[in-house]
Amino acid sequence: MTERPTGRPTGRPTGRRRVLILGGTGEAVALAEALAGRADVTYSLAGRTDAPRLPPGVAVRSGGFGGAAALAGWIEAGRIDAVIDATHPFADIIAGNAEAACRRAGTLRLKLLRPGWEARTGDIWHAAGSVADAARLIPETGGNVFLAVGRQQLAAFAGAAAGSGRQFLIRTVDLLTAAPFAGAVCVTGRGPFSVQEEAALLREHAIGCVVSRNAGGPSSYAKIAAARSLSVPVIMIDRPPPPPGDCAADVEGALDWLRQRLG
Ligand code: NAP
C-alpha cells in the first residue's frame, strides 16, 4: 500500500522524509543543498540544458515524467512525502502538473516562487500580459530588440521581426544550431551578468527595447538595471498565475514549511 504523508515522521529505515524538488532554478539548487543529509532528496530537471547546475549530495533525475498522471505515479512509487515545486516562475506546465499530481497522490506540495520585480524610478516599462502581447508592443519602440525570453517563446516574435529592419538579439546558454527567424542575432552567455556587462551588451547591439519576463530575483535583474541606466524601454511580460496552494517566497520559507508540515 502506498504510504501517505500524515504530517508526522513515518519511521523509515533512514528516518528521513522523502522530498522531490522540481528544479531548474538557483533557489531549487540552494534548497536541495540545504536539505542534503537531512532528507532523502531527489532533484528533478527537465533535461533541457547541457551542463545544468546540480546540487551535490542528492539524487538527481532528468527528463519529463510524462504528464501529471505519470508524475503522480512517480510520487506514489517513490513514497514521496512532499514535493517542492521550485521551477521557474514561467514554467507553468510543470507547475500545473505538480499541483494536479500531488492532489491525485495526496502528497504535500509547496510552490517556491520568488517575488516579481517592481518598476523603480527611471524604469520605462510597458506591461505585457503575455508573450503575444509583448510581440504586439514591439513596433511602439525603436532600435534593435533584446529578446530576453525562453527558447520556446522565440517563435512568437518572428512576425514582429519580419520586414522590421531591426535586429533581434537572442542570448542562450547553449549555442542555438540555427537562428529561429530572419533578423535574429544569436549569442551565448551564462549569467549572472553584472549591470556593466549588460549595459555594454545593450550599447554594442544598439538595443532600443528589451523584452523580458518578470522572472524576479537578483540573478537576471542586471539587464533591467542596465536598461534603466540607459533609458531603454523594457516590455515586461507578466507571470502566469501560480497554481492554488501553499507558496513560499524564498528558500528559508520553504525550509520553514517543511519543518512545519513534516516535522
Ligand atoms: P514547462 O513548460 O512548465 O514544462 C514543460 C514540460 O517539461 C513539463 O510538462 C515536464 O514534462 C517537463 N519539466 C519541466 N520542468 C521539469 C522538472 N523540473 N523536472 C522534470 N520535468 C520537468 O517548463 P519550461 O518552462 O520548459 O522549463 C523547463 C525547466 O527549465 C524547468 O525545470 C524550469 O525550472 C527551468 N527553467 C525554465 C525557465 C523558463 O524561462 N521557463 C528559466 C530557467 C529555468 P512532463 O510533462 O513530461 O513531465
Side-chain angles (χ1 to χ4, degrees):
M1 194 178 94
T2 303
E3 187 180 339
R4 300 293 166 101
T6 58
R8 304 302 318 154
T10 52
R12 291 216 171 81
T14 62
R16 291 179 184 165
R17 307 308 295 264
R18 294 180 183 173
V19 178
L20 171 64
I21 299 177
L22 299 171
T25 59
E27 298 92 305
V29 172
L31 178 65
E33 283 176 352
L35 284 174
R38 295 155 59 184
D40 283 346
V41 175
T42 302
Y43 182 82
S44 174
L45 283 171
R48 305 256 172 79
T49 311
D50 285 346
R53 266 188 69 202
L54 294 176
V58 305
V60 175
R61 68 164 301 288
S62 183
F65 294 92
L71 175 54
W74 196 97
I75 289 167
E76 288 178 335
R79 299 184 166 199
I80 298 296
D81 294 303
V83 174
I84 311 287
D85 170 8
T87 57
H88 191 269
F90 281 81
D92 55 344
I93 297 175
I94 188 69
N97 285 355
E99 193 275 331
C102 288
R103 196 161 18 88
R104 185 170 173 149
T107 303
L108 295 168
R109 179 192 56 90
L110 175 77
K111 176 73 194 168
L112 172 49
L113 187 64
R114 59 177 101 119
W117 299 316
E118 298 202 356
R120 299 185 191 172
T121 307
D123 279 325
I124 308 165
W125 285 13
H126 303 284
S130 64
V131 170
D133 243 15
R136 275 193 291 272
L137 286 169
I138 285 180
E140 293 180 19
T141 64
N144 292 331
V145 179
F146 179 20
L147 269 190
V149 299
R151 273 193 218 183
Q152 288 132 298
Q153 284 89 48
L154 294 175
F157 295 90
S164 69
R166 302 164 76 179
Q167 289 183 349
F168 282 56
L169 178 67
I170 294 163
R171 181 174 60 198
T172 49
V173 173
D174 303 317
L175 185 64
L176 292 181
T177 44
F181 50 79
V185 173
C186 303
V187 297
T188 57
R190 185 191 284 267
F193 303 96
S194 68
V195 178
Q196 290 73 19
E197 287 168 330
E198 295 293 59
L201 185 80
L202 299 188
R203 279 199 214 92
E204 182 191 340
H205 293 272
I207 298 297
C209 165
V210 174
V211 180
S212 173
R213 295 170 305 170
N214 194 337
S219 67
S220 59
Y221 185 71
K223 61 179 175 286
I224 307 301
R228 179 168 58 235
S229 73
L230 298 173
S231 298
V232 169
V234 176
I235 297 176
M236 187 64 81
I237 305 170
D238 290 340
R239 298 160 162 215
D246 291 352
C247 215
D250 53 25
V251 171
E252 268 316 306
L255 291 169
D256 282 347
W257 180 89
L258 280 167
R259 273 191 286 270
Q260 284 166 20
R261 305 303 291 269
L262 295 184

